Amino acid sequence: MREIAFIKQNKEKWLDFEQVIFGKTIKNPDEIASLYIHLVNDLSYAQTYYPKSKTVVYLNYLASQIYQKIYKTKRAETNRLIYFFKTEVPLIVYEYRRYLVYAFLLFFATVAMGAISAKYDENFVRLILGDAYVNETLENIKAGNPVAIYKSGSNWGSFIGITINNLYVGMNCYIFGIFGGIGTFYFLLQNCIMLGSFQYFFYQEGVFWESVRGIWIHGSMEIFAIVIESTAGFILGASILFPRTYSRMNSFKIGFKNSLKIFLSTFPFTIAAGFLEGFITRYSVEMENWLSSFIILFTLAIISFYYLFYPFIIHKKQKQNYV
């Protein structure tokens, strides 16, 4: 179909979309969602057959506006906070799921890099963690408690201090994504190399399992949250580097708003990790193996389900409601 014919065929429908966008026509959320599906189909067609046309830019604009209209008008939950965590964030995570894959691939690659470096360079761990930390940990290992360093300070003091630090680390992983994602990669690299060398250090000293029992009680949520925060940073960077058919500014606005929501969604998990580190990790040596293992697996299951599986469930549900 020639472009002029395509425009003529759909002109009235698009004008109807504009009426909805500018509030001149009132429609309920389900009707708006239906319009959005039709518009996305038109956009996909235009991108395929008229990729350099202004029609694509126009339809992209309409799609973004109607998308925002859906979020403003569709009230699946009366409580905005519940809706945010139950529906909005999972749908955004689903939309940007490939960035989550990229973040995890980088995470595993850089953790392995840290472990391999520690294996072949005996001074690497001291370079990364510092002599004081390594010496203190070696003393703790000799005393029979490899993770005794987590017992320092009061419960509440440790919880508050650790949580603030973790939120700061997560903020760096996210906000420095504004430099095309390079800043996010730097902070992810820094933390993952530290983690890899840290864990290999305990393996080298023959207390790997003891370290896992202690560190990953809080680490399951803490480290996973850092990967999610890095995902948000990569989304922010990509919105600037790859605007697609949007203007660069509009792409950045959309990317910033969506990535910020993903970043904010990690706060409960980061706070929970800080609580576990301040109140529970210090007792890991005295715990039964089954209890520490249960805490690790349970916390990992919660955050994994929320970010890796639940978005697909919500997307499927929304799709069924809108079709």
Side-chain angles (χ1 to χ4, degrees):
M1 182 188 300
R2 293 174 63 108
E3 184 179 3
I4 189 67
F6 175 70
I7 294 173
K8 186 176 181 180
Q9 176 180 309
N10 296 286
K11 181 179 178 181
E12 293 301 320
K13 180 173 61 176
W14 298 341
L15 289 175
D16 187 33
F17 293 165
E18 288 187 5
Q19 297 295 309
V20 174
I21 290 170
F22 296 111
K24 296 180 179 179
T25 300
I26 304 300
K27 293 184 181 292
N28 65 46
D30 289 328
E31 289 176 317
I32 295 175
S34 179
L35 291 177
Y36 177 71
I37 291 171
H38 286 292
L39 188 58
V40 168
N41 290 336
D42 290 344
L43 176 59
S44 298
Y45 185 93
Q47 287 174 327
T48 301
Y49 294 102
Y50 326 113
K52 297 182 179 180
S53 168
K54 290 183 178 179
T55 303
V56 174
V57 177
Y58 170 72
L59 293 177
N60 229 332
Y61 169 77
L62 290 183
S64 66
Q65 294 301 308
I66 289 186
Y67 180 83
Q68 299 305 321
K69 197 79 175 177
I70 291 172
Y71 277 99
K72 288 180 180 178
T73 58
K74 186 171 181 62
R75 297 179 182 272
E77 301 286 348
T78 55
N79 187 302
R80 186 66 184 82
L81 188 61
I82 292 175
Y83 178 73
F84 176 78
F85 284 103
K86 185 178 178 181
T87 304
E88 190 169 6
V89 169
L91 287 176
I92 295 173
V93 171
Y94 179 86
E95 180 183 355
Y96 293 98
R97 58 194 179 280
R98 68 181 182 278
Y99 293 96
L100 188 60
V101 174
Y102 301 154
F104 269 106
L105 289 176
L106 286 172
F107 166 75
F108 288 118
T110 49
V111 167
M113 189 186 304
I116 292 171
S117 298
K119 179 179 180 180
Y120 292 103
D121 184 349
E122 60 181 14
N123 296 316
F124 187 76
V125 173
R126 291 184 177 274
L127 176 66
I128 297 297
L129 301 177
D131 287 330
Y133 185 90
V134 171
N135 291 336
E136 183 178 352
T137 302
L138 286 172
E139 291 299 320
N140 291 334
I141 291 172
K142 291 178 182 178
N145 188 352
V147 291
I149 197 168
Y150 293 107
K151 286 190 172 183
S152 60
S154 66
N155 289 7
W156 279 103
S158 296
F159 163 51
I160 294 171
I162 289 165
T163 300
I164 291 174
N165 178 71
N166 290 345
L167 290 172
Y168 176 74
V169 170
M171 183 184 69
N172 284 334
C173 288
Y174 168 59
I175 203 66
F176 280 94
I178 201 168
F179 298 108
I182 295 175
T184 293
F185 177 72
Y186 170 77
F187 284 103
L188 182 64
L189 177 69
Q190 188 180 56
N191 283 281
C192 290
I193 286 181
M194 185 181 297
L195 175 63
S197 61
F198 184 62
Q199 283 289 201
Y200 187 82
F201 168 63
F202 284 105
Y203 171 78
Q204 198 172 38
E205 297 299 320
V207 289
F208 178 73
W209 173 240
E210 290 82 353
S211 73
V212 168
R213 286 181 58 201
I215 296 165
W216 290 94
I217 283 178
H218 62 271
S220 292
M221 282 189 172
E222 179 185 322
I223 301 302
F224 203 116
I226 288 176
V227 178
I228 301 302
E229 289 151 354
S230 298
T231 300
F234 289 133
I235 293 170
L236 182 62
S239 71
I240 299 171
L241 295 178
F242 310 110
R244 296 179 294 180
T245 54
Y246 296 106
S247 69
R248 201 171 298 277
M249 180 56 69
N250 284 336
S251 176
F252 172 71
K253 288 179 180 178
I254 294 170
F256 174 70
K257 182 162 63 175
N258 290 335
S259 62
L260 179 62
K261 289 175 181 177
I262 293 175
F263 170 63
L264 293 176
S265 74
T266 65
F267 280 22
F269 299 104
T270 301
I271 293 170
F275 176 84
L276 289 170
E277 187 170 352
F279 287 89
I280 308 299
T281 298
R282 63 180 62 226
Y283 305 115
S284 62
V285 172
E286 291 85 357
M287 281 185 192
E288 297 289 340
N289 274 329
W290 69 266
L291 180 56
S292 56
S293 299
F294 171 78
I295 295 173
I296 293 168
L297 294 175
F298 181 70
T299 54
L300 182 60
I302 291 174
I303 194 168
S304 297
F305 174 78
Y306 185 73
Y307 286 108
L308 301 183
F309 299 100
Y310 187 59
F312 288 87
I313 296 172
I314 290 298
H315 172 75
K316 184 177 180 180
K317 182 180 178 181
Q318 292 292 103
K319 188 176 180 181
Q320 290 172 345
N321 289 339
Y322 289 162
V323 173

